[in-house]
Amino acid sequence: KHFVYIKLVSKIIKNVGLETVCGITSKLPENTKPEVAFAGKSNVGKSSLINALMNRKSLARTSSQPGKTQTINFYNVNNEIYFVDLPGYGYAKVSEEIKAKWGKMIERYLKKSKQLKAVFLLIDIRHEPSGNDKQMYNWILDNGFQPIIIATKADKISRNQLQKHVKMVKEGLKVVKGTVVIPFSAQTKQGRDEIYEVIDGIMKGEGAECEISE
């Protein structure tokens, strides 16, 4: 069965569900379908983004306690692709021991998944990237992936400030040339189609060469 382009899947999602939950000691699933992973610090809007991409309101649940999620969650979309939700980082009340375990769990996934095609890194467009954001960006690079940046909460700034804030995010992370930056809003769905197009290009082997910042 050939892969159905995700921009078409987005409009005709027939089934989607949380298929696998991996904890610190869990064995990673040996999936046969492509995977795209989503990373970001707590409260950046990761669950809202994943729900918007899956056309669901609350399948990916937002924790009432930031930093509580300690698992890697695999969402099966139409039996064609997995959206992989990585644990949030940067929450101050989590102990250093737990942070270290999360880090090892994420690194194990990045290194050992045979189906991981791309990693999306979510950054709050309103603020300069934090030290944790910069560390995660460089860490993803070090593990062999060029992160695609999703600048969340774009509805919280005016349109005439958009380019200024995109530039702030890019300069703060010191992104490598050709990095894709997509402003996104869970409220207005701004940027959702662009994310689908990037995933579509990756699945067709075209890479993510262009910059999307409108």
Side-chain angles (χ1 to χ4, degrees):
K1 182 179 177 180
H2 294 290
F3 179 76
V4 178
Y5 297 149
I6 195 165
K7 58 187 173 185
L8 299 178
V9 171
S10 69
K11 299 174 183 176
I12 51 169
I13 289 181
K14 296 177 181 177
N15 55 75
V16 58
L18 177 57
E19 183 173 293
T20 309
V21 177
C22 287
I24 291 169
T25 60
S26 302
K27 182 181 178 181
L28 292 170
E30 296 183 2
N31 293 324
T32 58
K33 301 292 190 294
E35 300 168 3
V36 292
F38 299 87
K41 67 183 178 184
S42 301
N43 285 342
V44 76
K46 190 153 49 67
S47 295
S48 297
L49 167 69
I50 293 172
N51 283 326
L53 291 177
M54 296 190 298
N55 280 345
R56 296 295 187 271
K57 289 185 177 180
S58 60
L59 184 58
R61 298 201 176 276
T62 304
S63 175
S64 59
Q65 294 178 263
K68 185 178 180 181
T69 303
Q70 302 180 32
T71 56
I72 299 176
N73 300 329
F74 292 77
Y75 295 92
N76 185 330
V77 181
N78 272 8
N79 240 4
E80 292 163 351
I81 190 169
Y82 287 94
F83 291 167
V84 183
D85 185 5
L86 301 177
Y89 58 85
Y91 187 59
K93 292 185 180 180
V94 174
S95 72
E96 291 301 320
E97 181 183 2
I98 292 177
K99 288 179 185 177
K101 288 181 178 179
W102 288 357
K104 289 179 182 178
M105 179 169 60
I106 295 171
E107 186 172 31
R108 179 166 61 105
Y109 170 68
L110 293 178
K111 285 184 174 179
K112 293 191 175 183
S113 172
K114 296 177 181 178
Q115 294 296 334
L116 181 58
K117 305 300 182 184
V119 181
F120 291 87
L121 177 60
L122 281 63
I123 305 291
D124 189 329
I125 198 171
R126 298 173 298 177
H127 312 297
E128 290 189 19
S130 67
N132 283 315
D133 289 329
K134 297 172 187 177
Q135 185 177 21
M136 178 59 75
Y137 176 77
N138 289 317
W139 193 33
I140 295 169
L141 281 177
D142 290 344
N143 278 281
F145 293 91
Q146 181 173 321
I148 299 146
I149 308 302
I150 300 179
T152 63
K153 306 182 189 291
D155 57 292
K156 303 296 185 182
I157 60 173
S158 62
R159 287 197 65 84
N160 61 4
Q161 291 288 308
L162 193 66
Q163 292 303 320
K164 175 184 175 182
H165 282 256
V166 166
K167 183 180 180 182
M168 178 181 70
V169 168
K170 291 164 69 174
E171 290 180 347
L173 293 174
K174 297 181 180 177
V175 298
V176 299
K177 185 177 180 180
T179 295
V180 174
V181 180
I182 305 174
F184 173 79
S185 166
Q187 299 298 319
T188 67
K189 303 301 184 290
Q190 174 188 353
R192 185 170 66 171
D193 288 345
E194 287 88 343
I195 295 170
Y196 284 131
E197 287 174 12
V198 170
I199 296 176
D200 181 41
I202 292 167
M203 303 317 298
K204 290 190 290 185
E206 296 173 358
E209 298 296 327
C210 61
E211 295 188 9
I212 300 174
S213 55
E214 293 285 345

